[in-house]
């Protein structure tokens, strides 16, 4: 066997790029605003390159990434007319490199504004930035006081050259939460302030769920991430988005019990004589615990099956006593733990995990398989 031996990996996470494109087009059709694509954290674990290129192909021209590292990578695979914003602030960032690569920083604090102005005065370039303000999440963003001060200083404001004002909603997935209106009103007030000096500034407030709060939250640019990837932006209602991800775990071994037996580490569960179990690829090293909950369920040949006993590092055991298939058939089959029947949104409901966490903790051992989208 040569060094080039590359075994087929058995963990396959299927990502439907066409569904991602359809989701973007659905959001686009629902609003007069432009629609960006948030592809930070490797497009929520699904592959920033594949997802970014698929979104570009259907017309997306604005992208948000969390760090400079991510943005530099994105610059390599996205065409030059794609605007790439970096959300994470300017700490430890070589601003000249950022500018040279045509990446746009979101200035998030008084510190960022200072760094940016220093850069602009030393480099003497006509670079643009985005400004992020805090309206009630108290994470990133200029405070109201700093922002108001800035808006009274025309020369500083013009030196920053901000073309986009954004803020981020803390409770958009709870449509009736008071915080949504509070944040909207603060954002409107700040937008009015900055527009007095810079009437051309564009505005963006809504993440995925924010889009569904209503048109008042839309402004010029929508910033969906989760909804593009099939996570329900309206958790109390039917999911308006197409599901994107399928995870099927192959059966590695089938066994029938000739006596009552304990199952798995710690002998925490047992099954009676005649029961049948399937040992399936995927364990806590693959993030299964966090992503699927401690007791994953799935679909096997059209029927529900449940994990029995503790999850191991690389495998878990399903009770398949009620499945009437031969061992040979089962050795060709997989347990679908995320898919049409077992969606991420179902997991959110039953295990109280966030769809975001489900996606981003799907381990690197899964091979991503892409169903192509439109080119
Ligand atoms: C992550 C992020 C988004 C996308 O949020 P979703 O809820 O995934 O749609 C939008 N804007 C900012 C600033 C973000 O950090």
């Amino acid at each position: 066997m040569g060094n080039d031996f590359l075994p087929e990996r058995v963990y396959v996470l299927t990502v439907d790029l066409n569904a991602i494109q359809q989701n973007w087009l659905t959001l686009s059709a629902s609003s007069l605003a432009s629609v960006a694509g948030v592809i930070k954290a490797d497009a929520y674990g699904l592959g920033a390159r594949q997802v970014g290129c698929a979104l570009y192909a259907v017309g997306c021209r604005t992208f948000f990434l969390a760090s400079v590292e991510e943005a530099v990578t994105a610059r390599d695979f996205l065409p030059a007319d794609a605007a790439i914003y970096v959300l994470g602030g300017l700490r430890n960032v070589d601003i000249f490199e950022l500018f040279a690569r045509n990446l746009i920083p979101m200035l998030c604090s008084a510190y960022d504004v200072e760094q940016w102005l220093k850069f602009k005065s030393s480099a003497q370039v006509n670079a643009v930035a985005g400004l992020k303000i805090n309206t009630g999440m108290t994470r990133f963003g200029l405070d109201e006081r700093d922002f108001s001060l800035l808006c009274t200083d025309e020369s500083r404001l013009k030196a920053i050259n901000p073309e986009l004002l954004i803020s981020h909603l803390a409770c958009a997935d709870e449509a009736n939460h008071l915080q949504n209106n509070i944040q909207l009103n603060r954002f409107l007030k700040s937008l009015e302030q900055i527009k007095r000096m810079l009437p051309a500034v564009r505005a963006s407030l809504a993440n995925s769920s924010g889009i569904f709060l209503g048109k008042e939250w839309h402004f010029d640019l929508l910033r969906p991430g989760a909804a593009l990837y099939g996570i329900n932006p309206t958790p109390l209602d039917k999911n308006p988005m197409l599901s994107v991800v399928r995870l099927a775990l192959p059966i590695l071994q089938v066994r029938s019990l000739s006596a009552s037996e304990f199952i798995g580490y710690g002998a925490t569960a047992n099954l009676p004589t005649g029961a049948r179990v399937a040992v399936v690829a995927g364990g806590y090293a693959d993030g299964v615990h966090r992503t699927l909950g401690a007791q994953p369920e799935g679909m096997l040949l059209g029927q529900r099956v449940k994990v029995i006993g503790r999850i191991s590092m690389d495998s878990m055991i399903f009770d398949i006593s009620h499945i009437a298939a031969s061992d040979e058939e089962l050795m060709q089959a997989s347990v679908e733990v995320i898919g049409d029947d077992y969606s991420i949104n179902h997991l959110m409901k039953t295990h109280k995990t966030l769809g975001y966490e489900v996606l981003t903790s799907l381990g690197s051992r899964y091979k991503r398989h892409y169903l192509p989208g439109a080119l």
Side-chain angles (χ1 to χ4, degrees):
M1 227 176 275
N3 286 336
D4 54 357
F5 172 65
L6 267 180
E8 248 315 275
R9 273 195 284 184
V10 289
Y11 311 77
V12 178
L13 180 74
T14 306
V15 179
D16 187 344
L17 295 174
N18 188 56
I20 294 177
Q21 290 176 326
Q22 291 306 317
N23 285 339
W24 187 87
L25 291 167
T26 299
L27 296 177
S28 236
S30 77
S31 178
L32 295 173
S34 308
V35 185
V38 179
I39 56 169
K40 63 192 179 189
D42 202 23
Y44 295 37
L46 302 184
R49 172 184 298 271
Q50 290 80 2
V51 170
C53 293
L55 290 174
Y56 185 90
V58 287
C60 182
R61 293 293 178 271
T62 307
F63 296 85
F64 287 89
L65 290 119
S67 68
V68 178
E69 289 83 350
E70 289 180 357
V72 166
T73 311
R75 187 77 281 171
D76 285 341
F77 61 74
L78 289 171
D81 65 338
I84 301 178
Y85 289 92
V86 189
L87 290 165
L90 290 181
R91 170 85 199 273
N92 289 341
V93 170
D94 180 337
I95 303 179
F96 194 85
E97 276 300 308
L98 204 72
F99 170 70
R101 290 166 192 270
N102 194 19
L103 303 171
I104 309 171
M106 292 301 319
L107 310 178
C108 298
S109 61
Y111 171 89
D112 288 351
V113 168
E114 281 317 312
Q115 300 303 307
W116 181 245
L117 286 172
K118 253 188 241 162
F119 159 74
K120 295 249 344 216
S121 75
S122 68
Q124 295 289 322
V125 291
N126 187 30
V128 297
L131 268 181
K132 185 167 184 188
I133 55 172
N134 171 36
T135 53
M137 171 131 177
T138 326
R139 190 179 57 176
F140 297 113
L142 281 175
D143 279 330
E144 213 167 347
R145 192 182 36 135
D146 288 333
F147 182 74
S148 291
L149 214 59
L150 191 61
C151 287
T152 60
D153 189 338
E154 186 165 6
S155 66
R156 260 167 84 81
L157 195 60
K158 290 201 164 144
I160 293 172
N161 200 10
E163 40 110 52
L164 180 67
L165 182 76
I166 80 167
S167 189
H168 196 46
L169 296 166
C171 308
D173 58 339
E174 296 173 61
N176 295 322
H177 203 294
L178 290 176
Q179 192 72 351
N180 293 321
N181 277 303
I182 293 172
Q183 290 197 259
L184 175 62
N185 288 329
R186 288 182 181 165
F187 189 69
L188 280 166
K189 194 178 135 208
S190 297
L191 183 60
E192 195 190 305
Q193 262 180 322
I194 195 171
K195 280 209 168 192
R196 267 181 236 141
M197 300 258 195
L198 300 170
V201 165
R202 294 184 312 140
S204 172
L205 180 59
N207 67 331
S208 296
S209 293
I211 296 168
F212 293 84
L213 292 176
K215 299 252 184 273
E216 303 94 296
W217 277 264
H218 287 196
F219 298 93
D220 302 302
L221 181 70
L222 310 176
R223 304 191 312 271
L228 299 175
Y229 311 125
I231 295 173
N232 188 355
T234 55
L236 296 180
D237 294 318
K238 188 173 169 293
N239 190 1
M241 315 315 298
L242 297 178
S243 82
V244 165
V245 175
R246 197 175 96 92
L247 180 60
L249 305 175
I251 294 174
L252 304 179
Q253 180 165 357
V254 180
R255 55 197 321 146
S256 301
L257 308 192
S258 50
S260 170
E261 296 283 1
F262 288 112
I263 313 289
Y265 279 122
T268 58
N270 65 300
L271 285 175
T273 309
R276 218 158 159 228
V277 296
V279 183
V280 157
Y284 60 75
D286 304 292
V288 161
H289 239 78
R290 271 183 303 156
T291 57
L292 308 178
Q295 293 298 321
E297 299 180 1
M299 295 300 281
L300 173 60
L301 302 172
Q303 291 188 69
R304 241 171 99 166
V305 288
K306 290 183 174 180
V307 159
I308 175 115
R310 284 191 193 155
I311 293 170
S312 301
M313 186 181 294
D314 311 300
S315 62
M316 49 192 176
I317 305 166
F318 281 82
D319 181 357
I320 59 160
S321 303
H322 56 299
I323 305 291
S326 70
D327 284 12
E328 289 69 31
E329 283 173 283
L330 289 165
M331 289 305 290
Q332 303 288 320
S334 300
V335 177
E336 185 174 277
V337 289
I338 300 177
D340 287 337
D341 294 313
Y342 265 86
S343 69
I344 297 163
N345 302 295
H346 163 87
L347 290 168
M348 275 168 79
K349 282 201 188 111
T350 49
H351 302 301
K352 298 203 165 45
T353 55
L354 274 168
Y356 299 76
E357 288 177 16
V358 174
L359 286 188
T360 54
S361 51
L362 288 171
S364 54
R365 278 205 294 197
Y366 298 119
K367 179 181 173 187
R368 268 71 174 157
H369 169 69
Y370 295 94
L371 303 179
L375 295 177

